[in-house]
């Protein structure tokens, strides 16, 4: 059960746990398909976000909910 948090410096800009419960879940699924990303089933506890950011340096932290451990695959796509 991963969660992701996007940072600009030490400022948290956005986070997600269980992407399919996000307010913009339909937009995330559409963007993933248009980018050629792996399809994510709606019932999974995967984390995903769709966010517009300006030029700069960002950090994405991947962690397990409740301090759980595991292996994560992080992918980033630039959409037109």
């Amino acid at each position: 059960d991963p969660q992701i948090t996007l940072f600009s410096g030490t400022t948290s800009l956005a986070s997600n746990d269980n992407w399919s419960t996000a307010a913009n879940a339909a937009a995330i699924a559409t963007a993933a398909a248009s980018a050629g990303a792996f399809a994510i089933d709606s019932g999974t506890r995967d984390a995903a976000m769709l966010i517009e950011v300006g030029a700069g340096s960002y950090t994405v932290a991947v962690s397990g909910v409740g301090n759980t451990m595991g292996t994560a695959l992080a992918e980033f796509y630039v959409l037109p």
Side-chain angles (χ1 to χ4, degrees):
D1 188 9
Q3 61 186 5
I4 54 176
T5 305
L6 176 68
F7 291 92
S8 176
T10 59
T11 303
S12 172
L13 301 178
S15 64
N16 181 265
D17 172 32
N18 302 336
W19 79 277
S20 62
T21 61
N24 63 343
I28 291 171
T30 299
S34 72
F38 291 111
I40 306 173
D41 293 330
S42 62
T44 67
R45 295 188 297 176
D46 292 313
M49 69 173 68
L50 177 63
I51 186 167
E52 185 174 335
V53 296
S57 297
Y58 299 93
T59 302
V60 174
V62 181
S63 60
V65 172
N67 294 321
T68 57
M69 304 216 24
T71 302
L73 170 65
E75 297 182 36
F76 306 90
Y77 297 92
V78 176
L79 300 171

